[in-house]
Amino acid sequence: GQQVMQIPQYQHVQEGEDFTTYCNSSTTLSNIQWYKQRPGGHPVFLIQLVKSGEVKKQKRLTFQFGEAKKNSSLHITATQTTDVGTYFCAGPSSNTGKLIFGQGTTLQVKP
Amino acid sequence: GAVVSQHPSRVICKSGTSVKIECRSLDFQATTMFWYRQFPKQSLMLMATSNEGSKATYEQGVEKDKFLINHASLTLSTLTVTSAHPEDSSFYICSASPSSGGAFTDTQYFGPGTRLTVL
């Protein structure tokens, strides 16, 4: 079946370093959504990308949607301790439209 | 922004009892709500789609008699874990979309989740 995969699973960085998580789908996506879940919290919507090759920025966060609409990335510049959490990408199934979540990338930031 | 609440946030119960979890959309109406389950350090797994005025749609492998869903109004869906057992212990999260279509492709707003522990 359709899969959405994320790498890496875990990432430990020193505060101030950059961080990138990658999301790959086995099929073309109509859109990709990114969520952040803080430890002990619930997923919070960050952004949705729809267009091929789209790039969106939110302060230190840069989101990209691949030209083929099968992959996406989230890049954080100069990480801060507030960036700690698990970042999930999610895309709708081509068959059912249901959101399929990636496994998530857990970011730890050392102060 | 769209706000979804869940109650209770935490519940501890004895094996064999039933637990009801409420999910409410506070500032919008949602004809469709979704229920997810999340095990520690794992991703979200869709359990079922709650449809206002009709039966819920369950994902493969999810027992509908075990996890009863009632979508009583356009702002409330409930999940009842019946005859709970320790293996049902998990983090249950609901979500909803403010758009009228309630399509999965729309942005999902998640409730704060309910942590269930079955002793």
Side-chain angles (χ1 to χ4, degrees), chain A residues 23-29 32 65-72:
Chain A
C23 179
N24 294 287
S25 170
S26 56
T27 62
T28 301
L29 299 170
I32 189 120
F65 200 10
E67 294 290 341
K69 301 183 76 173
K70 293 181 70 175
N71 56 71
S72 180

Side-chain angles (χ1 to χ4, degrees), chain B residues 37-55:
Chain B
R37 184 173 181 177
Q38 186 179 36
F39 290 105
K41 298 185 179 181
Q42 292 190 22
S43 189
L44 291 86
M45 290 183 57
L46 180 65
M47 297 176 64
T49 304
S50 174
N51 305 298
E52 191 270 337
S54 64
K55 292 183 179 180

Side-chain angles (χ1 to χ4, degrees), chain B residues 1 6 11 13 15 25-26 37 69 75 88 95 103-104 115 119:
Chain B
Q6 263 183 261
V11 58
C13 68
S15 186
S25 55
L26 297 185
R37 184 173 181 177
I69 292 173
T75 59
D88 298 324
S95 73
F104 285 96
R115 196 163 301 279
L119 303 176

Side-chain angles (χ1 to χ4, degrees), chain A residues 9-10 30-31 33 35 37 40-45 48 88 92 96-99 101-104, chain B residues 36 38 41-44 46 49 57-59 91 93 104-113 115:
Chain A
Q9 187 175 3
Y10 297 98
S30 60
N31 71 83
Q33 300 174 28
Y35 294 82
Q37 185 174 21
H42 63 283
V44 174
F45 172 77
Q48 182 182 52
F88 292 98
T96 65
K98 299 175 183 179
L99 269 184
F101 282 82
Q103 306 95 313
Chain B
Y36 293 84
Q38 186 179 36
K41 298 185 179 181
Q42 292 190 22
S43 189
L44 291 86
L46 180 65
T49 304
T57 306
Y58 291 83
E59 294 302 298
F91 191 46
I93 314 173
F104 285 96
T105 53
D106 300 318
T107 301
Q108 294 297 311
Y109 292 89
F110 287 85
R115 196 163 301 279

